[in-house]
């Protein structure tokens, strides 16, 4: 019998930067949804989508938080689209050491878009009144390789910040208390 590869559902948010007016409703609802308790506060610095806004140059670019990067990259990209020049790092989704976006302001831990886990539709898409963000789902064959989960990514970030030994000592101390 032929080996059938498993299918997975892929969720896609499409961004049309030409439609974005920089209202930042997406940042507000994302930070509010992820507040603890849910909806208890909003702070765009905690949002997993950030809108790069330069009204004088008519530049509005919504960018989603992607993977955490241990080191900043040594190269930089500059884009010119329709005569508008975009700053270096403008389209990058990484939480990385060279910028403050996509980091939890208090702990410095990396933030990553989780597609509003548990919700039928990503809330930033729902709140974008001008359809700069749209949502679709499709099926793809599942890759074999395993990706690190959120806990692993968080631990890696802590280990890079404080050193692995310190994290292990802290966990050992906490488990003794518990
Ligand atoms: S809600 Fe839509 S229009 Fe407003 S900033 Fe976000 S992407 Fe842009
Ligand atoms: S999909 Fe959800 S988690 Fe991701 S940026 Fe939008 S509101 Fe935030």
């Amino acid at each position: 019998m032929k080996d059938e590869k498993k299918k997975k559902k892929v969720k896609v948010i499409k961004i049309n930067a030409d439609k974005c007016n920089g209202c930042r409703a997406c940042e507000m609802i994302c930070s509010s949804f992820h507040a603890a308790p849910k909806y208890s506060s909003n702070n765009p610095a905690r949002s997993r989508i950030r809108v790069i806004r330069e009204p004088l140059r008519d530049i509005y670019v919504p960018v989603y938080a992607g993977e955490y990067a241990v080191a900043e990259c040594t190269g930089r990209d500059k884009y010119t689209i329709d005569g508008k020049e975009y700053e270096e790092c403008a389209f990058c989704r990484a939480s990385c050491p060279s910028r403050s976006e996509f980091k939890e302001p208090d702990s410095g831990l990396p933030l990553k878009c989780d597609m509003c886990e548990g919700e039928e539709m990503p809330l930033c898409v729902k709140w974008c009144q001008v359809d700069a963000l749209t949502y679709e789902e499709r099926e793809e064959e599942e890759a074999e390789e395993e990706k690190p989960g959120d806990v692993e990514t968080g631990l890696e970030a802590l280990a890079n910040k404080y050193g692995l030994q310190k994290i292990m000592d802290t966990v050992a101390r906490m488990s003794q208390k518990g």
Side-chain angles (χ1 to χ4, degrees):
M1 205 172 84
K2 217 170 107 189
D3 245 8
E4 287 223 5
K5 282 208 171 169
K6 270 205 214 156
K7 299 263 186 183
K8 65 177 176 187
K9 193 171 20 169
V10 178
K11 301 172 174 184
V12 183
I13 295 174
K14 288 187 174 173
I15 301 166
N16 185 339
D18 286 341
K19 288 188 174 178
C20 175
N21 60 21
C23 73
R24 293 196 147 149
C26 50
E27 293 181 348
M28 299 301 260
I29 189 62
C30 180
S31 64
S32 173
F33 177 71
H34 290 90
K38 236 177 220 180
Y39 301 118
S40 58
S41 65
N42 68 58
N43 175 358
R46 294 201 163 90
S47 173
R48 290 132 204 251
I49 178 170
R50 295 310 303 268
V51 182
I52 292 163
R53 275 176 98 252
E54 287 191 42
L56 292 180
R57 297 202 292 140
D58 189 29
I59 285 177
Y60 304 100
V61 188
V63 184
Y64 283 87
E67 297 298 330
Y68 162 68
V70 184
E72 58 183 326
C73 48
T74 48
R76 296 283 189 270
D77 298 323
K78 273 214 169 201
Y79 291 82
T80 304
I81 304 170
D82 285 342
K84 292 181 214 165
E85 194 174 87
Y86 294 85
E87 289 311 314
E88 295 164 347
C89 310
F91 295 96
C92 181
R93 303 181 57 203
S95 157
C96 99
S98 65
R99 61 177 180 182
S100 57
E101 281 89 355
F102 306 140
K103 284 181 193 141
E104 162 61 41
D106 303 324
S107 63
L109 284 173
L111 298 169
K112 186 179 162 194
C113 167
D114 60 3
M115 288 278 178
C116 295
E117 220 174 331
E119 294 292 303
E120 213 169 284
M121 161 157 327
L123 293 172
C124 52
V125 174
K126 233 178 183 173
W127 277 58
C128 180
Q129 299 298 302
V130 293
D131 291 338
L133 309 174
T134 48
Y135 178 65
E136 68 178 41
E137 289 178 357
R138 63 164 189 259
E139 283 206 327
E140 268 182 17
E141 282 184 355
E142 204 153 353
E144 313 271 298
E145 163 210 2
E146 266 194 30
K147 287 211 161 183
D150 283 353
V151 175
E152 202 173 316
T153 306
L155 278 174
E156 194 186 339
L158 282 172
N160 285 322
K161 191 169 177 187
Y162 299 108
L164 186 57
Q165 194 55 50
K166 193 161 184 188
I167 302 303
M168 286 170 69
D169 292 347
T170 310
V171 172
R173 217 173 35 246
M174 286 168 74
S175 62
Q176 275 169 8
K177 276 191 207 159

